[in-house]
Amino acid sequence: MKSKGHLVYLILFALFLITAAEWIGTQSIPIGNITINLLPLVFAILIAMILGTAIFRRGIMKKVYSKENVNFASKYLIYIMLPLMARYGADVAPKLREILDVGWVFLLQEIGNLGTVLLGLPVAILLGLRREAIGATLGLGREGELAYISEKYTLDSSEGRGVLSLYIIGTLFGTLFFSIIAPVLHALGFSIEALAMSSGVGSSSMMVGASSSLIALAPDQAEVINSYAAASQLLTSFLGTYTMVFLAVPLQRFMYNLFTGGKR
């Protein structure tokens, strides 16, 4: 009964976060020709992080952040991501013919999924991480990586803490980075279509950050930008899973053993 009572607090707190974040809305910060978009998701995570600190974790907040609720949230987090896939499909369908005409370009970008292992793993190990690096560098720490790590190691493991840390960091700073880099690359001469395709890196928040910045630059091409970004995101989420399992995982295991001698 105690765990069920705590779960009620967690649900009410989630509703509070959603309401507060939606009330704040998307905040745009113009810096010259660049517009940085802060999404409601960013504010929701910031509020949750602040209220989870020792200063605020008292009384009701202590029940919200109870061990039972943390374990429950870790276990069922992946199910929250499933409706996103349905939304991607709805965005892709109206522009399916145009997307198929340039389909090979979307497929080519999947090679980039190995970049986190090739570049990130050596840096993580150099910084002193061990098994945490497995979760933190398998990908961008999005839904696919989260599901794989949680199934193979559980989210309460060192690997799980690595992927969850990257998930939080990516949501907070990745969105800001993509909101900035997309208009910067456009100013350097990259086409709107190319940048829209590259927005789908496997992260919904990063994709929205990049595509929103592009739409702010070219509002007349909003439908094309959304369709290309969603198609790219859908392919990354689908094909990226196979790239992760059959390429990234063996490569990461080889590199990890090479750099650490297999030490935990």
Side-chain angles (χ1 to χ4, degrees):
M1 292 298 293
K2 180 181 178 181
S3 61
K4 289 184 178 179
H6 284 193
L7 184 57
V8 172
Y9 287 111
L10 178 63
I11 294 172
L12 292 175
F13 182 62
L15 291 174
F16 161 74
L17 286 178
I18 293 171
T19 303
E22 290 298 329
W23 179 76
I24 296 172
T26 301
Q27 300 296 317
S28 299
I29 304 174
I31 302 178
N33 295 326
I34 300 172
T35 300
I36 301 175
N37 294 295
L38 300 178
L39 306 175
L41 178 61
V42 174
F43 294 111
I45 291 180
L46 281 174
I47 295 171
M49 289 176 64
I50 292 171
L51 294 180
T53 58
I55 299 175
F56 296 97
R57 202 165 61 243
R58 306 169 187 272
I60 293 178
M61 296 312 301
K62 187 175 182 180
K63 296 179 181 178
V64 170
Y65 289 91
S66 66
K67 184 177 180 181
E68 293 88 347
N69 282 347
V70 172
N71 291 335
F72 176 85
S74 299
K75 183 178 180 180
Y76 293 102
L77 177 63
I78 190 62
Y79 294 105
I80 301 173
M81 310 301 177
L82 297 179
L84 289 173
M85 301 305 294
R87 173 61 189 271
Y88 297 154
D91 287 338
V92 169
K95 290 287 182 180
L96 188 58
R97 184 177 296 275
E98 294 179 28
I99 291 168
L100 290 175
D101 290 339
V102 291
W104 66 271
V105 178
F106 288 107
L107 297 176
L108 187 62
Q109 76 172 38
E110 296 310 312
I111 299 175
N113 284 332
L114 299 178
T116 54
V117 176
L118 293 171
L119 301 177
L121 184 62
V123 174
I125 293 175
L126 186 64
L127 291 174
L129 297 180
R130 283 298 179 261
R131 300 301 297 183
E132 294 84 358
I134 299 294
T137 65
L138 187 56
L140 289 176
R142 297 298 101 186
E143 291 81 10
E145 291 81 24
L146 200 63
Y148 179 85
I149 294 295
S150 64
E151 288 294 322
K152 187 173 179 62
Y153 302 102
T154 77
L155 292 179
D156 196 33
S157 62
S158 297
E159 295 83 354
R161 287 189 288 274
V163 73
L164 279 175
S165 299
L166 196 68
Y167 185 88
I168 299 298
I169 292 171
T171 300
L172 287 174
F173 300 106
T175 304
L176 298 177
F177 176 79
F178 273 79
S179 296
I180 297 171
I181 197 66
V184 167
L185 292 176
H186 180 64
L188 293 175
F190 287 84
S191 71
I192 286 289
E193 292 81 4
L195 292 172
M197 290 180 195
S198 62
S199 298
V201 293
S203 164
S204 302
S205 57
M206 295 179 197
M207 181 199 74
V208 173
S211 58
S212 298
S213 297
L214 293 174
I215 290 173
L217 294 174
D220 57 312
Q221 299 187 57
E223 187 177 351
V224 172
I225 293 171
N226 279 329
S227 298
Y228 277 38
S232 177
Q233 178 75 359
L234 188 63
L235 282 172
T236 300
S237 299
F238 177 67
L239 295 179
T241 301
Y242 294 97
T243 303
M244 172 186 67
V245 173
F246 295 109
L247 295 178
V249 170
L251 177 62
Q252 186 187 61
R253 186 180 297 116
F254 169 77
M255 292 181 61
Y256 183 85
N257 290 333
L258 180 66
F259 290 133
T260 67
K263 295 180 181 179
R264 297 189 65 84

